[in-house]
């Protein structure tokens, strides 16, 4: 190093193109879609995993008209160290109007596929299964052709809660497998 005799730094390695984020405002259509999704999220007060988990890909998804809506609030009852979502043992109760708000937002976006994810709600007797199922049913009532994916918690292994959601009318039942030592 210059004048100090310390360790020399290795030359910078350029990031591969697939790792770089691109500005969603590169196209006029992408910019408009991004702004519409962002405005609807703000207007309705919906939480998205994109925002709550600080996803670096939000701009890319929103500019293409995709968002993953996180229902039952923005506060989880579990404190997984790998996650940026807020945590509390006693979060506020789920918004009873949320199924309608989500359906309204999805209508405005003009989507044909929506992903619903959820915070874990161990504070609720049914871990929120009825709320998620109600949201799916409201989405399907407004647009029967809409494809709905649910990315949900483990419902503490209670299979009757899994069945309740599986029977709600969604097309894809997905589950995050959190690995904790």
């Amino acid at each position: 190093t210059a004048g100090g005799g310390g360790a020399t730094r290795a030359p910078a390695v350029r990031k591969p193109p697939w790792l770089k984020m691109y500005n969603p405002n590169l196209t006029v259509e992408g910019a408009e879609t991004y702004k519409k999704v962002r405005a609807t999220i703000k207007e309705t007060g919906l939480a998205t995993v994109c925002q709550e988990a600080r996803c670096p890909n939000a701009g890319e998804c929103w500019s293409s008209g995709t968002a993953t809506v996180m229902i039952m609030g923005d506060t989880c009852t579990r404190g997984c160290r790998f996650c940026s979502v807020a945590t509390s043992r006693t979060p506020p109760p789920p918004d009873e109007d949320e199924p309608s708000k989500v359906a309204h937002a999805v209508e405005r976006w003009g989507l044909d596929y929506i992903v619903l994810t959820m915070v874990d709600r161990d504070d609720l007797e049914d871990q929120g299964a009825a709320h998620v199922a109600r949201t799916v049913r409201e989405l399907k009532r407004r647009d029967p052709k809409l494809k709905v994916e649910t990315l949900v918690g483990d419902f503490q292994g209670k299979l009757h809660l899994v069945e309740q959601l599986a029977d709600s009318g969604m097309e894809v039942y997905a589950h995050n497998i959190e690995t904790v030592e």
Side-chain angles (χ1 to χ4, degrees):
T1 63
T8 58
R9 183 180 293 181
V13 177
R14 298 187 64 72
K15 291 183 174 70
W18 54 266
L19 188 59
K20 294 179 183 178
M21 290 305 307
Y22 295 94
N23 185 332
N25 300 322
L26 288 178
T27 67
V28 173
E29 298 85 13
E32 289 306 311
T33 303
Y34 174 85
K35 291 173 188 172
K36 183 169 71 169
V37 170
R38 184 181 65 191
T40 305
I41 290 167
K42 187 173 185 176
E43 173 190 311
T44 58
L46 294 175
T48 68
V49 73
C50 317
Q51 294 167 307
E52 303 306 326
R54 298 183 185 120
C55 180
N57 302 318
E60 183 180 348
C61 293
W62 292 3
S63 68
S64 68
T66 300
T68 299
V69 177
M70 188 164 70
I71 60 176
M72 294 193 301
D74 62 359
T75 307
C76 183
T77 55
R78 299 184 188 174
C80 302
R81 294 187 341 184
F82 56 82
C83 185
S84 296
V85 174
T87 304
S88 172
R89 290 186 189 267
T90 56
D95 178 358
E96 289 298 318
D97 295 330
E98 187 173 49
S100 176
K101 289 178 182 178
V102 169
H104 174 71
V106 171
E107 277 180 328
R108 286 191 52 198
W109 292 333
L111 303 178
D112 56 7
Y113 193 95
I114 184 69
V115 180
L116 299 177
T117 191
M118 61 178 277
V119 291
D120 281 304
R121 291 298 302 258
D122 296 327
D123 60 316
L124 302 174
E125 189 173 326
D126 73 346
Q127 281 81 61
H131 189 86
V132 179
R134 197 166 46 252
T135 304
V136 171
R137 286 192 297 275
E138 180 62 18
L139 286 162
K140 298 300 261 181
R141 183 186 71 75
R142 292 190 188 205
D143 184 358
K145 294 182 204 159
L146 179 70
K147 303 293 185 226
V148 179
E149 176 178 338
T150 58
L151 177 57
V152 296
D154 60 15
F155 297 117
Q156 296 181 347
K158 297 175 181 172
L159 293 182
H160 69 282
L161 299 176
V162 172
E163 290 170 9
Q164 181 179 354
L165 184 54
D167 293 338
S168 68
M170 52 78 189
E171 281 73 24
V172 178
Y173 188 109
H175 171 65
N176 276 343
I177 300 175
E178 288 85 7
T179 305
V180 183
E181 282 189 31

